[in-house]
Amino acid sequence: MDKKNKRNLKFDTLCLHAGHDVFETNSIVPPIYQSVAYPYESAEYAAKLYNYEIEGFTYGRMDNPTSRIFEDRLAALELSEKSLLASSGMAAEFIACVGLLEKNDEFVSSGTTYGGTNQLFTVTFPKFGMNPRLVYNPENIDNWAEAITNKTKFLFIETPSNPNLFIGDIEALAKLAHDHGLPLIVDNTIGSPALQQPVKFGADIMVHSGTKYLSGNSTCISGAIVGKGEYIDHIKATEYRNIGPAISPFNSWLLLLGVETLGLRMKKHSENAQAVAEFLEGHSKVVSVNYPGLQNHPQHELAKKQMKGFSALLSFVTKGQLEDAKNVIDAFNLFIHAGHLGTSVSLATHPAFSTHQQITQEERIKLGIPDTMIRLSIGLEDINDLIEDIDQALSRIS
Ligand SMILES: Cc1ncc(COP(=O)(O)O)c(C=O)c1O
């Protein structure tokens, strides 16, 4: 095996070794390079570095050796050429999109995204003259085709989506995008590369909230963009450099520790979530359950085709009114009520009043997020303890 080029290794081995050469750093654990500047060998070297003619480290806002290890590792896990870390998932999305847009350009996105993404697209981007066209029935590819104009610069899909677990057809969307000469961006936060590698289905660019499964235990806000070398070099030399959303080296190091167990965690998360979804499906206090691993999920077959497991996020609608959903949330003993997902402990959230609270109620209904929806992020605990906690919380509904 070539010690430097580890790209041929299997997924779980890449999670531990890609991007890091223990003999180069003389350390089994990748070191934290807590430095904002790096000495240049010569004036000639510096000039080439700043002109992106050679790979190296210029200044901490642009690059960092600890971050580079994770960037190389994530690129390997996503079967892509390069990646770029950012200070948050939102920062990564902003840079990934803005790097493809000019004033008066448009892009097409599924309406079923995380609330923060919805606000970035519908409130922030229009301020810069960059306009989204949201597709509200994204399962119908014709709706995407109709939204494309001669101003469109890319298509964007979050799959699985937060919080209603819509599954976008990556292959069909990539084909549509490519037929129009456009790239497809996939938010791969919920699947993570352990369960879904969108490149296999033709996607061009992946964005991540590293805050979730990639780091895995709620220790760092972080984000990443993954794609072709030319595209990553372009955004790095322009918007990333000009805006300054760099990640801290310590957070890159936390990502490196977390990603070591990504494959193991995603398998266990998926097993636990499947069991919870099946339990909820048969519960008398539950109206409906959204989980792609369930046979009756509208895109179950598609999820099976493009995912290796169905991840840990699920949502369900309780019987009764808003007050009943609130009572359930307050009754949890083990599930922690917090606006977060994708971590080792189980979490419960009330999307209408937290993650999707900025969206109007009318829009939420359109997006399939009723006030009685509860979102669960299933952790790595013993499944019997989780089910017992859910059952006792649901018993608060009369
Ligand atoms: C699917 C998805 N993408 C992006 C984000 C934004 O990530 P961050 O909170 O790291 O900025 C989130 C946050 O919950 C998310 O769920």
Side-chain angles (χ1 to χ4, degrees):
M1 185 221 314
D2 179 350
K3 275 199 171 131
K4 296 256 174 221
N5 184 4
K6 299 179 176 149
R7 283 288 180 118
N8 294 333
L9 299 170
K10 301 281 183 298
F11 189 91
D12 286 337
T13 316
L14 289 173
C15 286
L16 291 148
H17 293 276
H20 183 219
D21 182 347
V22 290
F23 297 103
E24 211 164 75
T25 61
N26 216 10
S27 167
I28 287 181
V29 178
I32 308 175
Y33 289 91
Q34 193 69 43
S35 174
V36 297
Y38 317 98
Y40 310 134
E41 282 166 24
S42 64
E44 175 81 8
Y45 174 89
K48 284 190 174 155
L49 201 56
Y50 273 85
N51 203 27
Y52 298 96
E53 288 169 41
I54 50 173
E55 290 268 346
F57 301 100
T58 51
Y59 176 61
R61 175 155 41 81
M62 273 72 91
D63 33 46
N64 172 276
T66 308
S67 303
R68 179 70 58 81
I69 297 172
F70 187 82
E71 287 165 348
D72 287 349
R73 191 166 295 180
L74 182 61
L77 298 179
E78 284 283 28
L79 311 173
S80 297
E81 289 171 13
K82 282 194 178 177
S83 117
L84 185 59
L85 282 174
S87 56
S88 70
M90 292 313 301
E93 281 183 29
F94 181 80
I95 297 294
C97 296
V98 95
L100 296 168
L101 295 168
E102 300 290 336
K103 200 171 172 193
N104 297 326
D105 280 344
E106 294 177 359
F107 59 98
V108 182
S109 167
S110 118
T112 53
T113 57
Y114 161 60
T117 303
N118 173 286
Q119 294 296 290
L120 174 69
F121 288 176
T122 61
V123 178
T124 305
F125 277 156
K127 285 188 188 171
F128 298 93
M130 303 180 299
N131 298 306
R133 282 178 177 252
L134 300 190
V135 177
Y136 284 101
N137 293 105
E139 64 283 0
N140 185 346
I141 299 296
D142 291 344
N143 293 340
W144 291 78
E146 275 166 28
I148 296 175
T149 70
N150 58 7
K151 292 182 181 171
T152 307
K153 288 297 179 306
F154 62 85
L155 307 188
F156 184 102
I157 180 79
E158 179 181 305
T159 180
S161 73
N162 168 11
N164 52 11
L165 285 307
F166 167 74
I167 303 290
D169 188 335
I170 301 173
E171 196 168 14
L173 289 170
K175 184 173 179 322
L176 178 69
H178 298 165
D179 285 348
H180 288 81
L182 305 171
L184 172 67
I185 305 182
V186 176
D187 184 333
N188 198 21
T189 299
I190 309 298
S192 93
L195 302 181
Q196 173 171 276
Q197 291 168 307
V199 162
K200 283 185 181 163
F201 300 96
D204 304 280
I205 297 163
M206 279 62 62
V207 289
H208 284 274
S209 167
T211 317
K212 311 293 177 339
Y213 300 104
L214 291 181
S215 54
N217 34 31
S218 306
T219 50
C220 63
I221 296 282
S222 55
I225 309 161
V226 194
K228 293 234 162 57
E230 201 185 335
Y231 163 73
I232 298 291
D233 289 346
H234 163 70
I235 50 175
K236 201 169 159 182
T238 54
E239 324 306 349
Y240 188 78
R241 178 177 171 164
N242 300 344
I243 294 168
I247 189 169
S248 86
F250 183 62
N251 283 355
S252 297
W253 185 76
L254 291 172
L255 279 166
L256 279 165
L257 293 193
V259 82
E260 289 188 350
T261 55
L262 182 68
L264 286 170
R265 284 186 283 111
M266 294 315 286
K267 190 166 179 289
K268 172 82 171 163
H269 275 305
S270 300
E271 283 167 12
N272 273 359
Q274 182 75 32
V276 168
E278 285 172 12
F279 169 77
L280 285 170
E281 202 181 22
H283 203 286
S284 61
K285 304 288 170 61
V286 171
V287 176
S288 59
V289 186
N290 299 316
Y291 185 65
L294 292 177
Q295 299 276 350
N296 69 2
H297 183 283
Q299 293 100 28
H300 176 63
E301 289 307 317
L302 177 61
K304 273 202 322 204
K305 177 187 136 188
Q306 62 191 35
M307 299 182 78
K308 266 179 28 190
F310 305 107
S311 197
L313 196 68
L314 61 89
S315 55
F316 66 99
V317 177
T318 65
K319 282 214 168 125
Q321 310 300 320
L322 169 62
E323 281 310 307
D324 295 294
K326 280 185 172 171
N327 288 341
V328 172
I329 289 258
D330 287 342
F332 281 125
N333 293 322
L334 202 52
F335 278 80
I336 300 167
H337 180 192
H340 182 36
L341 64 92
T343 189
S344 42
V345 296
S346 290
L347 305 174
T349 311
H350 194 192
F353 291 90
S354 59
T355 53
H356 289 67
Q357 170 265 342
Q358 292 154 294
I359 301 175
T360 62
Q361 195 191 34
E362 195 189 351
E363 182 87 350
R364 285 200 302 265
I365 299 298
K366 216 160 126 186
L367 295 172
I369 308 173
D371 288 353
T372 44
M373 176 186 271
I374 291 177
R375 189 190 77 186
L376 298 181
S377 172
I378 306 299
L380 305 174
E381 298 92 341
D382 187 287
I383 186 61
N384 297 305
D385 291 332
L386 294 179
I387 287 183
E388 197 181 308
D389 194 33
I390 296 169
D391 200 26
Q392 66 77 26
L394 283 169
S395 71
R396 304 299 167 100
I397 302 177
S398 48

